[in-house]
Amino acid sequence: MQLDGARVLVAGATGVLGGELARALAGAGARVALTGRDDGRLRAVAEELGGAPALAADAVDVEAVRTAVDAAAEALGGLDAVVVAWGVVAFGPAADADDAVTEELFAVNTLAPMSLVRAALPHLSDGGAVALLSAVVADAPTLGMAEYSASKAALSAWASVLRRELRRRRITVLDVRPPHVDTGLVDRALAGSPPRLPEGHDRAEVVAAVLDGLREGAREVVLDPAQQRLVRR
């Protein structure tokens, strides 16, 4: 798809990666609308982007998310793409995981993106795109991160089915599964302390890969382990 002039909703725009994606999309000429949990930070990003439409919404509040999607579509005159960068993390042995923490992981990482995309589909133009920020743990579940890994794997599985179901509308579904990226997320874990993690992957490369994946109609952004760089396919 052509990003210049595209109408794009970025969910999770108050996060580090979501904010950088919103800035990069705007820099590529897209007309961007924003949603995120922190109203103050959301307004700051919106002002930075020249007064982009923005409506705060808690990811797990289905009605608030639907309202934000409808407002974004109205402000932009429809949607050509949706980028979802919501996420929370928790650490610890699977046998010791707290049920409430596990429910929140799935609510934010899995169910909330599903709800947002469902709300956006009636507004999304044929030939448009959906980009979902998953993680490498969807393919390589990690010790001490079983529930987080499972929540991301579930989102990735859902994306693979959605992609096939939207084929007639020519809507691409881009599943982005980068390695660990230093966004401060591990410092805001719902529970536990992180295991030893590799050095954070270059955020700029992740952002560029998402934009290129949208342009090319790619299905996935994944890490090439031999070259230690992101590839699109």
Side-chain angles (χ1 to χ4, degrees), residues 98-156:
D98 182 271
D99 289 337
V101 169
T102 300
E103 288 176 7
E104 186 167 356
L105 281 170
F106 275 85
V108 175
N109 295 345
T110 313
L111 300 180
M114 291 179 183
S115 295
L116 183 137
V117 172
R118 280 194 292 266
L121 283 175
H123 304 290
L124 199 62
S125 62
D126 290 354
V130 173
L132 300 169
L133 272 291
S134 180
V136 69
V137 294
D139 298 319
T142 301
L143 294 176
M145 301 173 66
E147 292 71 29
Y148 177 72
S149 299
S151 70
K152 291 296 188 178
L155 180 63
S156 185

Side-chain angles (χ1 to χ4, degrees), residues 11-98:
T14 55
V16 172
L17 197 53
E20 292 187 9
L21 283 164
R23 295 180 187 95
L25 285 162
R31 297 170 55 206
V32 178
L34 313 171
T35 187
R37 178 180 296 182
D38 188 316
D39 185 60
R41 291 174 64 184
L42 189 68
R43 291 180 183 277
V45 176
E47 289 176 8
E48 183 182 341
L49 299 182
L55 187 64
D58 191 321
V60 299
D61 186 334
V62 175
E63 290 304 318
V65 167
R66 185 177 293 114
T67 297
V69 170
D70 290 345
E74 182 177 358
L76 297 178
L79 296 172
D80 298 305
V82 176
V83 177
V84 186
W86 279 327
V88 290
V89 70
F91 305 104
D96 299 335
D98 182 271

